[in-house]
Amino acid sequence: TAMEMPRTIHDFGGFPQALFDVDYPAPGNPLLAKETAEILLPVLVEEDHEWGLDHGAWSVIKHMYPEANIPVIQMSIDYTQPAQYHFELAQRLQKLREKGILIIGSGNIVHNLRLIDWRNINTVGAGWDWAIEAREKTNSWLLDGDFSRLINYQDQSTALQIAVPSPDHYLPLMYTLGLKHTSEDLHLFNDELIGGSLSMKSVMIK
């Protein structure tokens, strides 16, 4: 997004009306969008002047900055590219971190909407066996710094394949990992399964 005032986009269906009523009027930052595109050359990143902020951005940021007073740009992900591509692309965004810009990879590691256990949709800690296994393994790899297994997630156990049925929610993790300095610590929080097949586990680098 490269607009002065990106609109709030509700790109989902079947959820409570309260989510569709959300408006997150954070300002954009066209200059930062342009700088980001230049940093990533020769990878072509087109500046978008129509889309705005979708739920991948505002559903997270609104809890961090509820007054919507922090400029935000959103970068889309090319799902046709492998995880290694995204990991390496993230490393080139290090210049933005060095300038004090917060970079968030918004997604989920365990995210299989088709296998939700609706009886336990609000039960914290409820997870299918495969979800529990995927959580335990990815936690171990994250905390041990074994990023190669996370990058090559498609070569891992069946449990992880079920946890990541499509790359759209998983690949943002590559940007978080790709931006980590070896001297920095990695922390996990909000690390609980819910509804059998979902996890909002968050990874923080500092």
Side-chain angles (χ1 to χ4, degrees):
T1 56
M3 294 171 282
E4 292 286 351
M5 289 301 300
R7 63 193 177 98
T8 304
I9 297 173
H10 306 89
D11 53 331
F12 46 74
F15 290 91
Q17 183 60 39
L19 288 176
F20 292 93
D21 293 338
V22 171
D23 180 46
Y24 191 73
N29 190 327
L31 289 178
L32 177 59
K34 182 177 180 62
E35 179 182 0
T36 301
E38 291 173 350
I39 287 174
L40 294 176
L41 287 172
V43 174
L44 180 61
V45 177
E46 297 182 1
E47 297 178 37
D48 184 272
H49 299 273
E50 297 181 5
W51 180 246
L53 300 178
D54 60 40
H55 81 281
W58 61 256
S59 65
V60 174
I61 303 172
K62 72 182 293 291
H63 296 289
M64 302 171 65
Y65 303 102
E67 296 181 4
N69 56 354
I70 302 297
V72 178
I73 68 168
Q74 179 175 345
M75 189 172 78
S76 61
I77 289 179
D78 184 352
Y79 301 140
T80 67
Q81 297 293 341
Q84 182 68 39
Y85 168 92
H86 294 285
F87 182 82
E88 294 174 359
L89 199 65
Q91 294 174 323
R92 296 167 61 183
L93 294 174
Q94 194 62 245
K95 293 179 181 179
L96 299 182
R97 268 197 82 194
E98 293 169 358
K99 295 176 65 172
I101 295 172
L102 174 65
I103 301 175
I104 300 172
S106 173
N108 298 107
I109 295 177
V110 178
H111 186 91
N112 194 320
L113 294 179
R114 293 185 177 182
L115 297 180
I116 289 178
D117 178 5
W118 290 104
R119 296 169 301 175
N120 290 297
I121 188 60
N122 293 314
T123 303
V124 176
W128 300 117
D129 289 346
W130 57 263
I132 294 171
E133 178 184 336
R135 172 186 173 274
E136 291 177 348
K137 286 186 175 181
T138 54
N139 279 9
S140 176
W141 298 335
L142 285 165
L143 295 174
D144 291 343
D146 189 356
F147 295 170
S148 63
R149 290 182 183 270
L150 293 160
I151 292 171
N152 297 295
Y153 71 98
Q154 292 174 312
D155 298 330
Q156 307 308 321
S157 68
T158 300
L160 193 55
Q161 306 315 306
I162 301 173
V164 187
S166 61
D168 49 328
H169 283 81
Y170 184 83
L171 289 177
L173 174 65
M174 297 299 103
Y175 287 82
T176 301
L177 302 184
L179 285 163
K180 181 184 180 298
H181 286 301
T182 56
S183 61
E184 292 181 306
D185 293 325
L186 182 151
H187 305 271
L188 303 181
F189 63 98
N190 198 35
D191 180 26
E192 295 286 356
L193 291 167
I194 190 169
S197 63
L198 301 173
S199 171
M200 298 295 178
K201 171 169 57 191
S202 299
V203 180
M204 179 169 62
I205 307 294
K206 66 175 184 177

